[in-house]
Amino acid sequence: MARVVVTGGGGFLGSHVCEALLARGDTVVCVDNFLTGRRDNLEVIEEHERFTLVVADVSAELPVDGAVDAVMHLACPASPPEYLRLPFETLDVSSLGTRRALDLARANGARFFLASTSEIYGDPLVHPQVESYWGNVNPNGPRSVYDEAKRFAETLTMAYHRYHGLDTRIVRIFNTYGPRLRPSDGRVVSNFLVQAMRGEPITIYGDGSQTRAFCYVDDEVRGLLALLDSDVVDPVNLGNPGEFTMVELAKIVLEITDSSSRLVYEALPTDDPTRRRPDITRANELLRWSPTIDLREGLRRTYDWYQQEAARGRL
Ligand code: UDP
């Protein structure tokens, strides 16, 4: 039973991580400034006796007192429209914020866990992506505020490991979805499900032939905690290898929502990766982890949540 600091604990993924940590008996200090996170995400755990919320911007301060066993640094805008709208906040939280989170871990002799991303592979020339691939990133394109910031965060983490002997973990998270993905988040799964639910056109960017591999949040969180508990210092991909084009995703969404929305085609964002799919051999072998929830099942569960939100007048 550990005391774990989770930066970005009010976000989509962070709130699920906090919940899973509490469920297994850990004590959680959630740090969030709710820039892209939501207080509503915490409503099921906010009153928990082993849960504390610290409202702070980790780029500026990380005011956590008392002993800490692990620091999980999840804070960062993660949706392309949001990190493009918040370029400096994204750069700061991944550089200054990562540094602060590393220093907190170091001061406590704690384990440090970095949420990195499949975006560090950029528009990948190696497919599926293995951890040994260095990536194909435009260093000054619009997406670089996220891609390069996360690459820098990996560099900083490994520098603390090498020079300070800090115990570190790095996960590369591939597209994750599920309940609490905000309707206005801007990512493809929330956009398509909400559009289908409202009978609005489904917006496909480009010709929709680009691919992504989508992991349901419960599978992802189980992997994150397995990595946290492991002794694996090298980066580990965690994602579902099932790969779909955006047109295929749109059709599955129409099918499970029983919607008659039509498909409309819009401009492809600059440097949008053509394809993406994790090679999860490392997670398989070292963590004994693999995802169990397929896309249709995960989308059904997520859609149920959006319907519940709508019934509560929150959508
Ligand atoms: N996308 C789309 N329609 C949308 C939102 C996104 O076709 O309404 C595409 C986007 O261009 C990308 C893919 O879906 O190719 C995944 O986008 P998302 O923003 O979810 O995540 P990314 O993997 O790009 O970070």
Side-chain angles (χ1 to χ4, degrees):
M1 271 167 277
R3 184 161 184 259
V4 185
V5 173
V6 182
T7 75
F12 155 61
L13 192 53
S15 63
H16 286 281
V17 167
C18 290
E19 229 179 302
L21 289 167
L22 290 170
R24 71 181 201 176
D26 292 333
T27 297
V28 174
V29 182
C30 164
V31 184
D32 209 300
N33 64 349
F34 298 109
L35 181 66
T36 59
R38 273 207 309 194
R39 193 81 184 231
D40 287 350
N41 289 341
L42 301 172
E43 68 185 0
V44 290
I45 52 174
E46 205 159 345
E47 300 304 322
H48 196 291
E49 57 181 11
R50 280 183 276 108
F51 181 81
T52 312
L53 171 64
V54 176
V55 179
D57 175 2
V58 64
S59 302
E61 53 171 353
L62 189 39
V64 175
D65 298 324
V68 171
D69 301 298
V71 178
M72 299 182 76
H73 185 43
L74 272 58
C76 190
S79 164
E82 290 194 327
Y83 62 68
L84 295 175
R85 181 172 62 82
L86 301 165
F88 301 107
E89 290 83 349
T90 303
L91 286 159
D92 284 352
V93 77
S94 301
S95 52
L96 303 171
T98 302
R99 181 112 198 202
R100 235 173 263 287
L102 282 159
D103 283 337
L104 180 68
R106 192 172 169 223
N108 282 279
R111 184 166 291 179
F112 177 79
F113 180 103
L114 175 70
S116 184
T117 168
S118 56
E119 279 280 328
I120 67 101
Y121 299 119
D123 192 6
L125 305 175
V126 168
H127 193 75
Q129 290 77 60
V130 280
E131 289 90 346
S132 54
Y133 176 49
W134 292 354
N136 177 38
V137 171
N138 177 348
N140 50 37
R143 289 176 93 97
S144 63
V145 298
Y146 185 68
D147 302 9
E148 293 293 6
K150 287 291 191 179
R151 290 170 70 95
F152 176 80
E154 288 200 12
T155 310
L156 199 55
T157 300
M158 289 311 294
Y160 269 67
H161 176 71
R162 293 196 182 100
Y163 295 95
H164 296 315
L166 192 71
D167 190 19
T168 56
R169 308 285 178 270
I170 298 175
V171 61
R172 293 184 179 151
I173 298 170
F174 284 66
N175 299 62
T176 300
Y177 70 99
R180 300 195 195 134
L181 197 54
R182 281 181 300 130
S184 60
D185 173 276
R187 272 176 282 192
V188 69
V189 171
S190 44
N191 276 6
F192 283 8
L193 283 173
V194 172
Q195 289 161 347
M197 189 163 123
R198 293 178 176 156
E200 292 169 359
I202 306 278
T203 53
I204 294 182
Y205 300 162
D207 65 5
S209 63
Q210 70 273 33
T211 67
R212 294 292 187 275
F214 299 99
C215 189
Y216 188 67
V217 65
D218 291 2
D219 280 331
E220 188 71 31
V221 169
R222 189 167 42 81
L224 299 180
L225 297 197
L227 177 60
L228 176 69
D229 295 342
S230 77
D231 58 2
V232 183
V233 169
D234 290 331
V236 177
N237 289 338
L238 287 178
N240 189 320
E243 184 182 0
F244 298 85
T245 68
M246 294 311 101
V247 170
E248 285 168 342
L249 175 68
K251 289 184 174 158
I252 297 170
V253 165
L254 289 178
E255 176 196 312
I256 65 149
T257 58
D258 200 19
S259 165
S260 51
S261 287
R262 63 196 174 87
L263 308 187
V264 293
Y265 291 83
E266 296 186 355
L268 187 69
T270 307
D271 295 337
D272 196 280
T274 314
R275 55 191 182 162
R276 181 184 293 155
R277 174 184 169 194
D279 180 313
I280 58 165
T281 310
R282 187 176 283 177
N284 255 203
E285 289 177 354
L286 300 181
L287 309 178
R288 299 268 164 259
W289 177 87
S290 56
T292 58
I293 298 160
D294 70 18
L295 184 60
R296 278 187 169 73
E297 174 59 22
L299 287 174
R300 264 185 227 110
R301 293 186 193 185
T302 310
Y303 186 53
D304 280 352
W305 182 77
Y306 283 124
Q307 287 183 308
Q308 286 163 27
E309 286 286 285
R312 297 159 80 186
R314 298 212 298 209
L315 200 77

